[in-house]
Amino acid sequence: MARYFTDEHEWIDVDGDTATVGITDYAQGQLGDIVFVELPSAGTSLSKGGDAAVVESVKAASDVYAPIDGEVTEGNAALEDDPALVNTAPEGDGWFFKMTIGDASQLDGLMDEAAYKSFCDSL
Amino acid sequence: MLSEDIEIEEPETGTLPLDAWHRDKGARMVEFAGYWMPIQYEGIVAEHEWTRSNAGLFDVSHMGQLLLSGPDLDAAVEAVLPIDLSTLKLGQQRYSLLLDEDGGVLDDLMVSRWPECLYLVVNGATKWDDIGHLREYLPDEITLNHLDEQALLALQGPKAADALARHATGEYPLSALTFMKFGRFTIAGHEVTIARAGYTGEDGFEISLPGHATEEIADVLCREPEVKPIGLGARDSLRLEAGLPLYGHDLSPETSPIEAGLVFGINKRRRSPVEQGGGGYPGATRINREIVEGTLRKWVGLKVEGRMPAREGAEVFAGGEQVGVVTSGGFSPTLGAPIAMAYVASAHAATGTALEIEVRSKRLAATVVPTPFVPHRYYRGK
């Protein structure tokens, strides 16, 4: 399973023809305490770079973008009851949604873990 | 040279006396009101909860501290502020408002009577405009000193009094101060002025101190087990739970203090007609009319269903009709639910009224509730 990162601080795990999307540990650290996550419903068409979800911290609302084209297959129901999972397990149980992979070539433009780490270090 | 080619120099962001101290403590710094300020240290919710159950130290040195003195000072100040200075005794502090000719709010502020002078604390983002306004409206004989060498710390929370009393010495014990009283004290050998007031709804103090002593005094206080430094993020969530208005959001030149429920900021004598000794301050005609006749809209508290917060700018609906707009909103750590403050049409402002708030094309159910959302715990004496 390969994991990719965007410069908007989303991560995407690719497993066959589906992918799981969340926000990175760096992103949750910048946002602070997460109190609400608005997820796309199953069947929503996403386009790379377009709005996919909204994450609300105590302070402000922030958009989460789709890392690639595709269709939402499932939102993470656990975030409804416990949005703080995004803080405690951002790159694990705090995932946002699963989606189909509309165009696998779009993955080529994303960063791998090492590239993302040096990207964050440069911020 | 084309006008586009002229480079406009951005005003530089200022640093306050505790800047290095905040960074050393791991604060995330943001630009606010022209200064670098700490938004949070360990996290807004943790800092919020710490303040509600212990004591939080806030750096509010960006605020303006002004000293007014001169002949016929009270009359001169009453021509600018709707305050009744005949009832403000030495050692007392009072909330007041800076108003424009139309009764719009230019700032909200604290006024204290010091010996031979009046001491004002004004908002950081408005202090330069306030100084200009005061200078314009006050006679030349009145001296206005901007105490820009003074810093301001707020110690807030149920354990603030215990922690501060171990260090503040004066002619009388700190416990002699009740809400909205102030006095001169010494902390770690430095002369300070302490007012029992603040902006969190908790018992607490605002300490005006020499800028050069700020680090030393902040260290002395933070060595107490009850005290942690708290950032602007929690300051905002605390004041929202306390139902207190924030200038530039809940108050502006577009709002009248009567709409905002701040009638207590217009002292009683100033509300009567001019011939009976009232009025006589900018905007008095409108404000005195609104006190009698009421206003078309009111500032209310809203409890929001679910977990999605409604923030500033969100529109408030009664059925298909837009009846208001949110001026402050967020997630209340104490209540574990979203809360908001909004101006709504007076017909929809009664407690218990069911309304809806539109957030990202969704309608959230909301109910008008009394404020504060979390009860105030000011110390008014035993």
Side-chain angles (χ1 to χ4, degrees):
Chain A
M1 192 163 67
R3 175 169 287 198
Y4 301 89
F5 296 85
T6 72
D7 55 10
E8 296 284 357
H9 306 286
E10 291 96 16
W11 57 264
I12 172 168
D13 268 352
V14 175
D15 187 9
D17 54 4
T18 64
T20 306
V21 180
I23 66 168
T24 64
D25 186 48
Y26 177 89
Q28 70 79 22
Q30 291 292 312
L31 291 169
D33 302 295
I34 308 292
V35 295
F36 181 78
V37 182
E38 187 181 342
L39 296 172
S41 44
T44 305
S45 280
L46 299 179
S47 53
K48 182 180 163 76
D51 292 345
V54 179
V55 57
E56 301 252 13
S57 68
V58 180
K59 195 92 197 98
S62 309
D63 291 320
V64 174
Y65 305 106
I68 55 169
D69 296 348
E71 193 175 288
V72 176
T73 54
E74 182 190 354
N76 184 358
L79 295 184
E80 278 175 35
D81 299 328
D82 188 10
L85 271 178
V86 180
N87 293 120
T88 54
E91 300 185 20
D93 292 344
W95 59 276
F96 277 33
F97 56 87
K98 294 182 191 291
M99 66 187 295
T100 62
I101 298 170
D103 177 1
S105 72
Q106 288 177 338
L107 296 168
D108 298 340
L110 302 178
M111 287 177 269
D112 64 11
E113 187 145 18
Y116 178 70
K117 187 180 180 303
S118 53
F119 171 70
C120 288
D121 289 345
S122 74
L123 297 177
Chain B
M1 193 182 193
L2 293 170
S3 61
E4 284 89 339
D5 293 332
I6 299 169
E7 274 190 36
I8 296 168
E9 215 167 296
E10 287 281 318
E12 241 178 76
T13 303
T15 52
L16 292 165
L18 279 188
D19 193 271
W21 187 89
H22 292 308
R23 292 173 196 274
D24 195 46
K25 292 243 178 309
R28 183 177 302 168
M29 303 295 280
V30 295
E31 292 180 74
F32 181 80
Y35 299 95
W36 289 106
M37 300 282 286
I39 182 102
Q40 65 170 66
Y41 299 84
E42 56 178 316
I44 294 175
V45 171
E47 292 167 36
H48 181 112
E49 288 171 350
W50 182 269
T51 306
R52 285 263 180 261
S53 45
N54 296 283
L57 185 73
F58 300 79
D59 182 6
V60 285
S61 299
H62 63 302
M63 297 182 82
Q65 301 182 60
L66 313 177
L67 216 50
L68 301 177
S69 58
D72 299 320
L73 179 64
D74 284 15
V77 171
E78 284 192 0
V80 187
L81 303 177
I83 194 169
D84 181 358
L85 289 170
S86 69
T87 61
L88 186 73
K89 301 189 187 81
L90 184 65
Q92 291 181 340
Q93 185 176 54
R94 191 169 296 158
Y95 180 82
S96 193
L97 295 147
L98 201 61
L99 302 165
D100 66 21
E101 293 292 347
D102 300 322
V105 182
L106 297 172
D107 200 5
D108 59 343
L109 67 159
M110 289 293 197
V111 182
S112 307
R113 187 180 294 283
W114 283 15
E116 311 293 320
C117 58
L118 292 169
Y119 165 78
L120 276 51
V121 180
V122 303
N123 276 299
T126 51
K127 67 182 172 187
W128 300 110
D129 287 343
D130 290 0
I131 290 168
H133 182 92
L134 289 166
R135 206 49 287 169
E136 186 184 332
Y137 276 75
L138 292 170
D140 292 344
E141 296 73 40
I142 300 297
T143 303
L144 188 162
N145 278 316
H146 179 200
L147 305 178
D148 54 359
E149 300 291 308
Q150 287 289 106
L152 194 66
L153 296 176
L155 189 68
Q156 299 280 298
K159 296 180 182 169
D162 287 347
L164 187 56
R166 286 177 216 132
H167 300 284
T169 53
E171 285 177 40
Y172 43 81
L174 188 70
S175 59
L177 296 186
T178 52
F179 184 56
M180 297 294 268
K181 301 279 198 308
F182 74 92
R184 290 269 190 198
F185 291 84
T186 301
I187 300 177
H190 303 283
E191 284 191 10
V192 302
T193 305
I194 299 177
R196 198 153 195 165
Y199 220 54
T200 60
E202 295 296 329
D203 181 24
F205 304 87
E206 291 196 345
I207 307 161
S208 174
L209 66 170
H212 63 82
T214 321
E215 276 208 19
E216 187 183 349
I217 289 176
D219 276 336
V220 159
L221 295 174
C222 283
R223 274 199 289 272
E224 294 302 320
E226 301 94 339
V227 180
K228 281 186 183 182
I230 306 296
L232 287 178
R235 182 172 166 82
D236 193 51
S237 53
L238 289 158
R239 73 92 200 161
L240 178 61
E241 287 185 346
L244 300 169
L246 183 61
Y247 192 79
H249 302 267
D250 308 295
L251 300 175
S252 77
E254 313 306 316
T255 56
S256 96
I258 310 307
E259 291 174 328
L262 301 176
V263 67
F264 67 88
I266 318 294
N267 292 165
K268 207 171 166 195
R269 173 171 63 80
R270 313 302 303 278
R271 297 178 204 170
S272 51
V274 178
E275 50 274 18
Q276 292 167 33
Y281 58 90
T285 308
R286 171 189 175 184
I287 285 174
N288 287 356
R289 187 187 66 234
E290 287 186 350
I291 291 172
V292 175
E293 296 175 5
T295 54
L296 292 175
R297 53 178 200 162
K298 288 181 179 167
W299 196 56
V300 298
L302 294 168
K303 184 102 186 280
V304 185
E305 294 295 317
R307 286 187 65 92
M308 192 195 293
R311 309 213 183 250
E312 183 175 0
E315 295 177 343
V316 181
F317 287 85
E321 185 195 359
Q322 192 198 332
V323 297
V325 63
V326 170
T327 52
S328 278
F331 193 84
S332 160
T334 304
L335 303 177
I339 54 172
M341 299 291 305
Y343 284 101
V344 301
S346 297
H348 301 278
T351 294
T353 305
L355 296 169
E356 288 183 312
I357 308 177
E358 192 165 295
V359 180
R360 296 187 292 275
S361 312
K362 286 195 185 66
R363 291 285 183 91
L364 309 179
T367 309
V368 178
V369 295
T371 55
F373 297 96
V374 172
H376 293 162
R377 295 198 285 185
Y378 304 136
Y379 177 75
R380 297 179 191 274
K382 292 227 160 79

